[in-house]
Amino acid sequence: MEEKYTPKTIESRWQTFWEKENLFKAVEDYEREKYYLLEMFPYPSGKIHMGHVRNYTIGDVVARYKRMRGFNVLHPMGWDAFGMPAENAAIANQTHPARWTYDNIDYMRNQLKKMGFSYDWSRELATCRPDYYRWEQWLFVKMYEKGMVYRKSSYVNWCETCQTVLANEQVEQGECWRCGQVVQQKNLPQWFFRTTDYADDLLMHCDQLPGWPEKVLTMQKNWIGKSYGAEIHFPLENSDQHITVFTTRQDTVFGATFMSLAPENPLVLELSKDTDQAQTVQDFINRMATQDKSRRTAEDYEKEGVFIGAYCINPMTGRRMPIYTANFVLMDYGTGAVMAVPTHDQRDFEFAKKYDLDFQVVIQPEGEALDPSTMAEAYTGKGIMVNSGQFDGMSNTDALDAIANYLETNKQGKKTVNFRLRDWGISRQRYWGAPIPMVHCETCGIVPARLSDLPIVLPEDANLLEGGRSPLSQLESFARTDCPKCGNPNARRETDTMDTFVESSWYYERYCSPDYDQGMFDPQKVDYWMPVDQYIGGVEHAILHLLYSRYFTRVLHDMGLVKYKEPFTRLLTQGMVCKETVTCPTHGFLFPEQSIKSGDQRTCTICNQPVQVGRTEKMSKSKKNVVDPNALLERYGADTMRIFCLFAAPPERDLEWSEQGVEGGYRFLNRLWRAVEMNHSLLNTTKAYQGSLDDLGPELKKLYQKTHETIKKVTEDIDNRFHFNTAISAVMELLNAVFAYANADNDTKYPAVLKSAIESAILLLSPIVPHICEELWTELGYQPGLINESWPIYREDALKKESLLIVLQVNGKLRNRIHIPVDMPDEEIKQVALADEKVLQFVNDKPIRKVVLVKNKLVNIVV
């Protein structure tokens, strides 16, 4: 055995062996219990980062552990390869999105293999391949035939930089989630999926996902946003039309004094046309198109609007209400129209004050008399109805139902439920995406492509136009086609492509049978593997990807393609990898290697000026607080990176980068190596101990018991909580016990007990640091392929303790630790504690108020 631990040599050798032996290939075995472990697949950006390393290491530990526990494990990997990032990167690097993507896939695949992840690479897929998106085109056509897809013109979120539409979920604080550009509103024809058809079901099943983090379920519930209320019809003056509003406060309808419409509401232009306000309204709409939609609704955002030159009538009071378009009203919620009640809604209050509009109190708090002329803010609490006709004197909570019933009886409205969730606009005016399989014909209108013509292949030899615009509409070889219905040879293909989130909404099913060519997936194999047992990814996908995936699964379920509604049984959202930022006054943010510490001072290596160390934040290229996994691989090896990522923090918490932590992980692996190397000949001439505990001496018995305590601890930490940090700590303690045991009496059973301890440590660590464990396993004389070994089982009799360590406290402060017999009665434990010499020093003849015993842990004496 080599004296020194050399990770580079070891890791390369075992990665080659695993690949040659196909150790990670998953095969359906209908007699075995399956376990489908999946991490969210990456976008092929060019290099893996530390976030990838942590995410995939967590998943790999679970996959290897479950395999050793006897499960038939599926652990695949692929590439979320379409989308704007590839186009933007290709433009910046003056190359083609296809070449950029495929080159990056090759590079990143090699990086992942160097980390030793146990992926079944035979199932690898890339969403930009026609054999993949063919089947989502097929599903699109089927959804269209069932009325689940439609096309309409609407105001959409438009990113001028990316030249494409964004879904609501892709707008983050008014900016494009990809490039950070301020998002505008633009009226365009778009294709939509009817996600709202499943709003209730998606919401209801949030309470049937016990394996999901509560924060993710809360985010999904809030995004779906179910509200109970009423629709109310406000007739337009001198017209047989009306404006319909949705409100949860129909109890305040008698106080509605004006109407507010979203700037995007088509009624704004329609009603202002040919009025003196027409140009003012148009200017306001244009200005609102560039405003941050999320900020418009913020409490501290200035409320503004303009009168559109039209009026409507309050159906309950007959009041003539001026109609305004206001910045705080959004088309995304309700009907894009809000009945304004200044006395009982703060936004309406501020708007009415600013534009000198009428106030009418309709709810009085008990014991008070609100006066509109002296009100400093809107009253939004409970109270008694006033100025509300037949409903005067009722509590406003009772009036909610009463008024809704009245509206329904008089055909002026109805009770209804509203959802914040909107249908999913999937059209993207970009090149690098899956073509939408629809055809525009002058005779037949818009018709779906023939199923026999699928896939509609994206021409990968087309070049982007100036500014990154899509070439598809100008590419006759692609755009021109014959009509599937009438044969018109001058029909045109749809040249929008699908939102990349469509591809990521069903990839986990395709992994079950990636080469299947008779449908989206092999039904029998999907029945076996799905749903995913454990899904792992960032919390930033709580709304976008996870909600879309749940929606897509319901579509597949209703089409009879799958038997389940929820795609992911358990979800782990790992924390971020964080590092301090470093800033130079001249050069701005610096990479870690661009600053050097000398004594108490850190300086910039470019200009030698002192630098400022900022707060610890998520690693990001923009702030340059990143660590290159390649450099760490070269210096320490994959196992050290893996153990650091797992030991530094529980998986759901943020991980703070620490060079000392990495060094500590490397030292521990060297210590593990030495434990085998220094005892190599001894370990190879004996078998692990399996005899009676009674045959072991006291100290050797403790080491054997420690081994089985460690097996139990590690098993429970991985099984119950994925707390790999405490699992690793337990093995470290076991290794400490191994080094501490001196075998001074030359006990003949020592070699067997030692082998039991070291063998268990290697097995327990093998999912975490597989390369070094594989090497040490073979050095113990066993066959390679450690993942095929059974997980160690602890002996119950080895866990029985003869004595317990009890902490003694006085007024909550530690004063001593003592060992007591494990079966000592509670009262006797208290008496022993009270008689302890160190305890007596602090009690000092003071009267004892009470003695608190925490079973098997401590005694606290309160004086």
Side-chain angles (χ1 to χ4, degrees):
M1 180 178 178
E2 294 291 334
E3 182 180 350
K4 289 188 175 181
Y5 168 48
T6 53
K8 197 170 183 180
T9 304
I10 291 168
E11 291 175 358
S12 176
R13 177 164 65 246
W14 287 111
Q15 288 161 14
T16 301
F17 172 81
W18 295 333
E19 189 165 357
K20 182 180 178 183
E21 296 296 319
N22 276 326
L23 280 188
F24 309 133
K25 184 175 176 61
V27 178
E28 293 74 23
D29 183 345
Y30 299 95
E31 302 301 315
R32 290 175 65 196
E33 186 176 357
K34 64 89 179 180
Y35 192 87
Y36 188 173
L37 186 287
L38 186 63
E39 306 98 1
M40 295 179 185
F41 64 168
Y43 161 69
S45 58
K47 290 182 179 180
I48 63 170
H49 52 67
M50 288 306 300
H52 289 132
V53 172
R54 188 185 192 200
N55 185 1
Y56 302 149
T57 299
I58 291 167
D60 195 53
V61 174
V62 179
R64 289 174 177 270
Y65 169 75
K66 290 293 184 179
R67 174 87 171 263
M68 295 177 75
R69 291 300 299 267
F71 289 88
N72 189 20
V73 174
L74 174 59
H75 187 206
M77 176 49 70
W79 312 96
D80 190 9
F82 268 144
M84 293 183 287
E87 286 193 19
N88 295 340
I91 293 166
N93 291 276
Q94 297 184 331
T95 186
H96 193 278
R99 173 173 290 182
W100 171 263
T101 299
Y102 293 130
D103 286 349
N104 286 350
I105 286 173
D106 290 341
Y107 186 82
M108 291 177 70
R109 184 193 304 111
N110 185 52
Q111 282 187 298
L112 293 177
K113 286 184 176 181
K114 286 183 177 180
M115 286 300 302
F117 297 135
S118 59
Y119 295 128
D120 179 358
W121 285 106
S122 70
R123 295 175 183 260
E124 180 185 15
L125 58 81
T127 59
C128 60
R129 299 284 189 188
D131 60 357
Y132 181 85
Y133 63 74
R134 166 191 181 184
W135 296 109
E136 72 188 46
Q137 290 177 339
W138 175 89
L139 184 67
F140 185 103
V141 172
K142 292 296 181 182
M143 291 171 68
Y144 179 81
E145 291 172 351
K146 289 182 175 291
M148 295 171 145
V149 179
Y150 65 95
R151 189 173 189 260
K152 72 169 185 178
S153 289
S154 70
Y155 278 92
V156 292
N157 304 307
W158 176 261
C159 176
E160 189 64 29
T161 300
C162 296
Q163 286 286 296
T164 195
V165 168
L166 303 174
N168 289 337
E169 297 86 341
Q170 292 169 318
V171 180
E172 297 178 349
Q173 312 213 324
E175 296 177 350
C176 172
W177 74 301
R178 281 297 189 190
C179 73
Q181 178 72 27
V182 173
V183 172
Q184 301 178 3
Q185 296 299 298
K186 194 170 185 178
N187 197 11
L188 289 174
Q190 302 287 301
W191 289 100
F192 290 86
F193 287 161
R194 294 188 188 276
T195 47
T196 52
D197 286 354
Y198 292 93
D200 239 337
D201 198 58
L202 287 165
L203 183 64
M204 180 181 69
H205 277 79
C206 282
D207 294 324
Q208 299 175 34
L209 293 168
W212 283 44
E214 191 59 39
K215 64 180 178 181
V216 173
L217 295 174
T218 299
M219 291 168 76
Q220 293 222 347
K221 288 177 182 178
N222 290 342
W223 191 260
I224 295 167
K226 188 174 185 178
S227 303
Y228 294 91
E231 284 185 356
I232 306 177
H233 306 314
F234 288 76
L236 286 167
E237 188 178 58
N238 303 320
S239 171
D240 56 1
Q241 297 182 49
H242 60 258
I243 296 173
T244 298
V245 305
F246 169 79
T247 179
T248 59
R249 294 297 310 273
Q250 58 268 25
D251 55 324
T252 65
V253 63
F254 284 85
T257 59
F258 64 96
M259 178 69 64
S260 299
L261 301 181
E264 300 82 12
N265 194 319
L267 281 172
V268 173
L269 285 176
E270 181 183 326
L271 296 177
S272 63
K273 186 179 180 182
D274 298 327
T275 72
D276 293 342
Q277 291 293 103
Q279 188 57 52
T280 303
V281 168
Q282 184 64 64
D283 292 344
F284 181 78
I285 291 172
N286 294 342
R287 188 157 56 84
M288 290 302 105
T290 63
Q291 282 195 4
D292 179 344
K293 261 203 315 185
S294 64
R295 288 289 299 140
R296 277 167 47 187
T297 58
E299 289 184 11
D300 60 347
Y301 204 70
E302 184 183 358
K303 313 300 182 287
E304 59 176 323
V306 295
F307 175 53
I308 69 169
Y311 293 84
C312 62
I313 307 300
N314 186 320
M316 303 297 278
T317 65
R319 176 191 287 269
R320 185 178 187 238
M321 296 168 50
I323 303 172
Y324 279 73
T325 178
N327 64 343
F328 60 87
V329 184
L330 299 181
M331 199 66 200
D332 291 344
Y333 185 77
T335 63
V338 173
M339 65 172 198
V341 185
T343 49
H344 303 294
D345 181 277
Q346 187 60 30
R347 293 180 307 175
D348 297 340
F349 181 93
E350 294 172 19
F351 192 90
K353 283 286 186 184
K354 182 173 182 176
Y355 295 104
D356 195 25
L357 297 168
D358 292 344
F359 286 70
Q360 175 69 59
V361 173
V362 293
I363 299 173
Q364 291 281 14
E366 287 197 42
E368 292 185 48
L370 297 176
D371 181 352
S373 64
T374 60
M375 289 177 71
E377 61 182 2
Y379 176 72
T380 58
K382 296 180 181 179
I384 303 301
M385 302 288 290
V386 297
N387 300 320
S388 298
Q390 68 190 70
F391 305 102
D392 281 356
M394 294 180 68
S395 73
N396 74 298
T397 51
D398 290 339
L400 286 168
D401 265 347
I403 291 176
N405 290 333
Y406 177 90
L407 290 166
E408 200 150 359
T409 300
N410 290 275
K411 294 183 171 45
Q412 294 173 317
K414 64 178 180 178
K415 288 183 181 179
T416 190
V417 174
N418 191 65
F419 290 92
R420 180 171 181 251
L421 181 71
R422 285 291 174 259
D423 286 341
W424 177 10
I426 61 105
S427 295
R428 298 294 177 266
Q429 293 66 44
R430 297 302 295 241
Y431 158 70
W432 190 239
I436 294 174
M438 300 299 287
V439 175
H440 298 254
C441 174
E442 289 184 357
T443 304
C444 305
I446 305 174
V447 295
R450 304 180 191 91
L451 295 180
S452 59
D453 289 344
L454 302 183
I456 307 301
V457 177
L458 182 74
E460 293 190 2
D461 56 351
N463 292 315
L464 297 175
L465 302 179
E466 185 179 353
R469 291 180 297 111
S470 172
L472 296 181
S473 61
Q474 299 182 29
L475 199 65
E476 284 297 300
S477 58
F478 174 82
R480 186 174 178 177
T481 187
D482 64 306
C483 173
K485 192 171 182 180
C486 72
N488 173 9
N490 294 314
R492 309 287 292 180
R493 290 197 189 283
E494 174 64 68
T495 55
D496 282 357
T497 54
M498 293 193 219
D499 181 3
T500 184
F501 281 98
V502 177
E503 282 85 64
S504 61
S505 293
W506 70 282
Y507 76 106
Y508 38 87
E509 272 124 357
R510 187 65 180 174
Y511 276 141
C512 298
S513 51
D515 299 322
Y516 190 66
D517 62 0
Q518 301 302 305
M520 295 180 74
F521 38 75
D522 184 323
Q524 186 179 16
K525 291 181 178 179
V526 161
D527 282 350
Y528 177 67
W529 290 114
M530 287 294 293
V532 174
D533 294 281
Q534 181 66 61
Y535 200 34
I536 302 173
V539 72
E540 65 271 18
H541 299 292
I543 295 172
L544 285 169
H545 164 58
L546 291 171
L547 191 62
Y548 291 156
S549 295
R550 295 182 63 217
Y551 158 72
F552 235 65
T553 304
R554 281 159 171 74
V555 171
L556 296 175
H557 175 269
D558 286 0
M559 288 189 173
L561 297 173
V562 301
K563 297 177 181 177
Y564 49 87
K565 281 189 173 183
E566 293 294 344
F568 314 119
T569 303
R570 294 183 61 180
L571 173 70
L572 171 66
T573 53
Q574 87 282 354
M576 298 180 292
V577 181
C578 304
K579 193 180 188 307
E580 63 190 14
T581 56
V582 178
T583 312
C584 170
T586 301
H587 298 99
F589 287 114
L590 300 178
F591 288 110
E593 63 273 15
Q594 291 177 324
S595 70
I596 188 168
K597 190 172 183 181
S598 178
D600 295 333
Q601 183 69 58
R602 184 178 288 189
T603 56
C604 174
T605 58
I606 306 170
C607 64
N608 293 321
Q609 289 188 82
V611 299
Q612 182 174 353
V613 177
R615 63 180 183 177
T616 298
E617 300 184 50
K618 176 187 175 182
M619 285 188 179
S620 69
K621 292 178 182 177
S622 62
K623 295 184 177 177
K624 299 186 178 180
N625 60 335
V626 292
V627 176
D628 183 6
N630 284 345
L632 292 174
L633 271 173
E634 188 67 26
R635 183 174 177 186
Y636 296 106
D639 283 342
T640 296
M641 291 175 65
R642 291 168 65 113
I643 201 167
F644 166 73
C645 285
L646 298 169
F647 185 60
E652 70 278 6
R653 302 282 296 274
D654 287 350
L655 182 156
E656 188 171 338
W657 176 260
S658 164
E659 191 72 35
Q660 293 80 9
V662 177
E663 289 279 1
Y666 186 64
R667 285 196 303 271
F668 171 68
L669 296 183
N670 275 280
R671 198 160 192 247
L672 177 65
W673 184 271
R674 287 199 308 275
V676 176
E677 189 272 331
M678 65 191 292
N679 297 293
H680 190 241
S681 58
L682 190 64
L683 294 170
N684 273 283
T685 57
T686 188
K687 292 184 178 179
Y689 187 75
Q690 294 181 338
S692 170
L693 270 73
D694 296 334
D695 294 338
L696 300 176
E699 294 305 311
L700 201 55
K701 185 177 182 180
K702 285 182 181 178
L703 178 58
Y704 191 68
Q705 287 179 316
K706 183 66 174 177
T707 299
H708 287 269
E709 289 169 8
T710 304
I711 295 171
K712 184 176 188 292
K713 169 71 172 167
V714 173
T715 303
E716 290 176 349
D717 281 348
I718 296 178
D719 245 351
N720 300 337
R721 305 179 300 163
F722 290 167
H723 277 200
F724 311 114
N725 56 329
T726 53
I728 294 166
S729 182
V731 181
M732 287 177 171
E733 289 179 13
L734 175 59
L735 211 58
N736 288 340
V738 166
F739 279 102
Y741 188 81
N743 194 28
D745 53 1
N746 291 315
D747 193 320
T748 56
K749 295 183 176 61
Y750 169 68
V753 173
L754 176 67
K755 185 161 187 176
S756 178
I758 290 179
E759 183 178 294
S760 296
I762 292 170
L763 286 167
L764 295 172
L765 286 170
S766 65
I768 295 166
V769 283
H771 307 89
I772 189 173
C773 289
E774 193 83 71
E775 184 76 12
L776 295 177
W777 188 249
T778 56
E779 290 293 349
L780 293 180
Y782 295 111
Q783 290 296 312
L786 191 49
I787 198 171
N788 290 324
E789 297 293 329
S790 295
W791 187 254
I793 299 173
Y794 57 85
R795 284 175 56 170
E796 289 287 351
D797 63 333
L799 300 177
K800 293 179 181 176
K801 293 184 176 180
E802 296 174 358
S803 66
L804 288 171
L805 180 67
I806 294 290
V807 169
L808 303 184
Q809 297 177 339
V810 177
N811 289 342
K813 293 184 177 181
L814 173 66
R815 298 309 182 193
N816 202 7
R817 294 183 177 90
I818 61 171
H819 286 276
I820 61 169
V822 72
D823 56 354
M824 180 179 280
D826 290 352
E827 284 305 314
E828 193 173 335
I829 295 172
K830 292 180 182 180
Q831 293 306 315
V832 168
L834 288 167
D836 183 81
E837 289 184 8
K838 291 186 178 179
V839 167
L840 289 172
Q841 292 175 20
F842 291 95
V843 171
N844 198 22
D845 294 331
K846 295 174 185 174
I848 295 170
R849 295 168 58 193
K850 60 180 175 178
V851 180
V852 180
L853 172 68
V854 179
K855 192 73 173 176
N856 298 336
K857 289 186 177 180
L858 64 84
V859 178
N860 182 28
I861 298 160
V862 182
V863 296

